[in-house]
Amino acid sequence: MKLRKVIAAALAGLMVLSMAGCGDSSDKPDTITIMVPPVTGTYVEDLNGWIEEYKVDHPNIDVQVIATSWDEHTSKLTTMALAGEAPDIAEVSYGAVGTYVEMGVGIDIKKYLSKDRIADYDQNALDYMTLEDTLYGFPLYITIQALGGNREMLEAAGADVQKIQTQGWTYDEFLEVIKNGTKDGRWGFVFANSGATTADFVSIFGVAAGISSNFTPDLKYVYTSENMLSLLQAVETMTTSGYMPDYSVEAGQRLVMLETGETMLTGKAMPLFESNVKKNIAGKADGSAVEGTIDMEYVFLPVPTMANATESVYGVVDGMIALKNNNTTEAHLKNVCEFLDFLCSGERAAAVDNAVYLSAVCESGRKAQESFTLDQSDLNAAAVERAVSKVIAPPAGITAEMNANAKTMMDETIVPKFQALLAGEATAQEVYDAICTAAKNLFGEENCASGWVK
């Protein structure tokens, strides 16, 4: 009998130890992984500070940061997602959301957050992160992307800069200005169009031909329309006439070319470039400026508008999405979504938007911005405000499959064919025909736009 009591006591002790071990396991911090490119010049450094701030009230959360370059970010994220090893949170442009939804790694974040928290964000910005009524992430900003130039050179070439900033301009006016602005050793117009930035040209300058989304309001694929042919013909004209380089220009080079007087007008351009230009000119005093830097006044300009097109400005939402991997649990997803909300709101959102000269897209972010003043000219500020009013959101009803197919078309057909057009290896008509053929095979002819789309 005594032996039985001893054994029972020993077993009880083991159970207590076992339960204590389970308790220790449950107290183990939940680790969230986040993959980000340099959203701003100091984003990763700022992110580490925000993580420490978050942990004060959430000591059970650890965060691992995977820092990437812009060039490798998408490919690395896609590779990890396909392997079932996606980070919990990743920075994406809205056009890539459908790709990860199609992979089966997207998360409906509304399941894990209160309505009050979601209501903090502007609905038009949330729409960019939504597919088929499912919200997959939060926006960081709506950025407008258009053209930037040297005011003195533009006015010497016949441009009425103030009128253009306040009223817009036609494609014919634009073409005449870049013709007049093209000199020995200076291009009239340069646009970043190397590699992935080729898609930027098609999207940003595409508004000149009335293309503001991958799909028309009735959800037809837009790049088979006559609008696209007109856009390609415009590129053909600019390159064969010598107003624009007939070779690829790296993203980082186009601003340098503007700062050194190698081009009069450049794209893609964003409001924050005004600050970059001023800082570079100031660097002439201590030798930190780009070699060959000239004094200039930077002006932000809209993309011109072709006949039959309605003026619009390309706006893109970049944000953070929540993703799942092979080890994801429901409890972990709740922690992920709460941290996602923290990063995209309040002072964190304000810090990002101030750095890129944009207004926050959440109420808490705008409140945090109230004490911040941008180093921006009144004319450029007014031009930016006008441009924001011209942004057209993608039409409702785009599915994840449509979104993913549009990205496939851009990456596998439009980008390489556009590069051939730049190099003079294909005509605008040949490129357009190849796009139409590929699109009709992918979407079905009945789902592709024809004629001129308004």
Side-chain angles (χ1 to χ4, degrees), residues 32-231:
I32 296 171
T33 56
I34 176 170
M35 178 181 286
V36 291
V39 177
T40 68
T42 61
Y43 190 75
V44 173
E45 179 183 340
D46 293 339
L47 181 56
N48 288 328
W50 296 331
I51 290 168
E52 292 305 311
E53 178 187 342
Y54 191 76
K55 289 178 68 173
V56 171
D57 295 324
H58 302 82
N60 62 316
I61 300 295
D62 279 342
V63 181
Q64 177 186 358
V65 178
I66 305 171
T68 61
S69 68
W70 282 114
D71 288 339
E72 69 173 340
H73 181 72
T74 299
S75 60
K76 187 170 183 177
L77 177 58
T78 300
T79 299
M80 292 178 68
L82 287 171
E85 300 172 352
D88 299 305
I89 297 171
E91 190 276 348
V92 298
S93 182
Y94 84 95
V97 173
T99 299
Y100 301 105
V101 174
E102 280 289 285
M103 289 181 189
V105 297
I107 302 298
D108 180 0
I109 66 173
K110 283 186 177 180
K111 291 173 58 178
Y112 304 96
L113 295 167
S114 70
K115 291 182 179 179
D116 287 346
R117 284 308 315 138
I118 293 172
D120 182 38
Y121 298 85
D122 296 350
Q123 187 59 51
N124 67 325
L126 290 177
D127 288 344
Y128 280 86
M129 309 299 290
T130 301
L131 288 172
E132 299 178 83
D133 296 324
T134 301
L135 180 63
Y136 291 98
F138 281 133
L140 281 174
Y141 50 74
I142 296 180
T143 182
I144 47 171
Q145 299 173 357
L147 309 179
N150 180 314
R151 180 167 189 164
E152 182 180 358
M153 289 182 182
L154 284 161
E155 291 180 340
D160 185 337
V161 171
Q162 186 168 349
K163 182 179 178 182
I164 293 168
Q165 287 186 311
T166 56
Q167 299 179 32
W169 51 342
T170 68
Y171 175 71
D172 289 340
E173 291 171 335
F174 163 83
L175 196 61
E176 183 67 17
V177 167
I178 65 170
K179 173 186 174 181
N180 295 338
T182 301
K183 308 289 184 182
D184 288 341
R186 187 180 85 197
W187 300 101
F189 179 47
V190 166
F191 202 103
N193 51 26
S194 176
T197 59
T198 301
D200 289 336
F201 183 94
V202 175
S203 299
I204 297 165
F205 205 83
V207 300
I211 299 173
S212 59
S213 170
N214 291 327
F215 298 93
T216 65
D218 59 350
L219 302 181
K220 304 287 187 183
Y221 183 64
V222 78
Y223 292 113
T224 54
S225 67
E226 288 182 11
N227 307 55
M228 182 59 171
L229 178 58
S230 295
L231 177 65

Side-chain angles (χ1 to χ4, degrees), residues 226-242:
E226 288 182 11
N227 307 55
M228 182 59 171
L229 178 58
S230 295
L231 177 65
L232 295 169
Q233 289 170 337
V235 173
E236 191 171 45
T237 297
M238 289 186 285
T239 53
T240 58
S241 299

